[in-house]
Structure formats: structure tokens, C-alpha cells
Amino acid sequence: DTAVSQTPKYLVTQMGNDKSIKCEQNLGHDTMYWYKQDSKKFLKIMFSYNNKELIINETVPNRFSPKSPDKAHLNLHINSLELGDSAVYFCASSRTFQGEAGNTIYFGEGSWLTVV
Amino acid sequence: GESVGLHLPTLSVQEGDNSIINCAYSNSASDYFIWYKQESGKGPQFIIDIRSNMDKRQGQRVTVLLNKTVKHLSLQIAATQPGDSAVYFCAEKQAYSSASKIIFGSGTRLSIRP
């Protein structure tokens, strides 16, 4: 049973298209995240939701819109895809939104997005 | 900018030897640090964490050392095995209004020589 699952794992799409990545966690956690990892492996937080409420919104283009229909799901929709959006996108979850001992962040396997 | 960085981007270690992965941070107010391991094609996986009121914490074959004076964090892996090959990230908790966010460093790739 995968704790944090995201789909699709691989996505190749053309510039200008709109795409979505879905994420679900079955850990009963309140907090979910989207991270972006670039080609140099740098991992940067994009968004964080706690009980469906947006709590962290980094400097991310408006083309990226997260949606949390319930606390177990956090989807990422990207409009008008650009070449620079090519990266690996990781969904993650944790019990609460506080970074503290015992509140481990669990990551999904990643979604490899390639924009051509 | 990000406050967590690493001294070395790659580290090659002989199988059976101990590995030491280093990390520097610049935010002296950070009070919680974590090490993650990311294997090829997978998401980061929690290894061990440490609060700022500690200077050492041990897990199974791993030890994290924290030196707040010089803002340095290290991960020691005993008797390195082929399965330890991965990218290792240190991460740091930073306050963000009412929440806190985890900032990741740029990672060190650990490779094991047979």
C-alpha cells in the first residue's frame, strides 16, 4: 500500500498545454505539500495545505494552481506549460504543518514532467 | 535565498568504510534539522532528525551531529553498503508565519566503490 501516491509518474507534453498531477495520501495526515525538484536535484517547496486550507504559497507563477478537495488529496494543475516547468514534482504529506520531531514528511514517488 | 547548503556535491566511499556527509546552514534561529535519502527514481525518505537542543543523535548505522557554533550538520553512515548509494539531503525548519516549512539543501550524491 503506497502511503503517498501521485499520478502520472511520467508526463511529456507540449508547450502551452494544460496538465494536472494528482496526489492522494492514505496516512490520515492533515498536511500535504507540493515540491519541485530541478535537474540539479534541488528540492523546493511550492505549496502546503493543512486540512484543505492553503498555508504556504511560495513564489510560484500563477499558472500553477493547487486544489485540495479533501485533506487526503492535493492536486496540482499547471496552465500554459513552459519549457522551464520541466522537473520532477513531488507530493508529500505530514501529520501536522509544524516542522518538528515526530512530524515526518512522507514523499510520493514523483511525477516526471517534460515540456517539449 | 536558501540557507541550507552542502560542502560537497559528490562523495565516493569504499564499501564497508564509514561515510560522512556534511551540511552548512546559515539561519542560527533554526531549531530542527532532518536528513533525507533519495534513491534513484524515488522520493526522498526520512533517515534521522535532530533538535537544536541536542548535538548528537544515533539511529541504526547512522549518526547525526549538530554543531550550532559553526552552524554545521553532518550525517555519518557506518559500514557503508551498496544500498546506501543515493542522494542525501539535509533539511532545516524555518518559521513561516503560523506554519513552518522545511527547506532542503542541494544534496550530496553518495556512491559506493566495491
Side-chain angles (χ1 to χ4, degrees), chain A residues 9 35 37 41-44 55-58 90 97-102 104-105 107-109 112, chain B residues 2 32 36 38 41-44 46 49 51 87 89 93 96 98-102 104-106 109:
Chain A
K9 187 172 178 69
Y35 280 83
Q37 187 171 48
K41 294 291 188 181
F42 192 69
L43 196 62
K44 186 174 172 63
I55 57 169
I56 292 176
N57 185 352
E58 289 295 280
F90 286 99
F97 58 84
Q98 292 297 343
E100 59 191 6
T104 302
I105 298 178
F107 285 83
E109 298 275 277
W112 269 251
Chain B
E2 305 301 333
Y32 175 59
Y36 278 85
Q38 185 178 20
K42 296 189 176 181
F46 173 89
D49 58 3
R51 293 190 183 105
V87 176
F89 295 94
K93 183 191 87 173
Y96 183 92
S98 61
S100 57
K101 62 179 179 179
I102 302 298
F104 283 77
S106 55
R109 185 178 299 279

Side-chain angles (χ1 to χ4, degrees), chain A residues 38-51:
Chain A
D38 63 22
S39 58
K40 297 180 181 176
K41 294 291 188 181
F42 192 69
L43 196 62
K44 186 174 172 63
I45 191 168
M46 300 172 69
F47 302 103
S48 175
Y49 273 71
N50 187 64
N51 270 321

Side-chain angles (χ1 to χ4, degrees), chain A residues 41-43, chain B residues 1-10 21-27 30 33-35 65-66 70-75 88-94 103-109:
Chain A
K41 294 291 188 181
F42 192 69
L43 196 62
Chain B
E2 305 301 333
S3 68
V4 180
L6 292 173
H7 293 308
L8 295 171
T10 60
I21 302 171
N22 296 304
C23 178
Y25 64 96
S26 59
N27 189 343
S30 295
F33 303 88
I34 316 111
W35 281 99
L65 298 177
L66 175 63
V70 295
K71 295 196 280 269
H72 184 266
L73 193 68
S74 69
L75 177 71
Y88 289 81
F89 295 94
C90 66
E92 159 190 31
K93 183 191 87 173
Q94 289 188 353
I103 301 296
F104 283 77
S106 55
T108 294
R109 185 178 299 279

Side-chain angles (χ1 to χ4, degrees), chain A residues 4-13 17-25 32-37 46-47 49 60 63-70 72-79 81-82 84-92 107-115:
Chain A
V4 181
S5 57
Q6 49 184 116
T7 56
K9 187 172 178 69
Y10 300 101
L11 183 55
V12 181
T13 188
N17 284 351
D18 302 339
K19 290 294 177 186
S20 292
I21 307 171
K22 295 185 176 182
C23 179
E24 175 182 6
Q25 53 94 5
M32 295 186 72
Y33 312 81
W34 278 108
Y35 280 83
K36 178 181 179 181
Q37 187 171 48
M46 300 172 69
F47 302 103
Y49 273 71
V60 177
R63 299 181 294 103
F64 290 79
S65 53
K67 284 192 172 50
S68 182
D70 55 63
H73 295 83
L74 181 62
N75 304 322
L76 183 65
H77 188 75
I78 315 170
N79 289 327
L81 278 155
E82 300 177 357
D85 296 332
S86 295
V88 185
Y89 293 85
F90 286 99
C91 179
F107 285 83
E109 298 275 277
S111 295
W112 269 251
L113 173 64
T114 303
V115 183

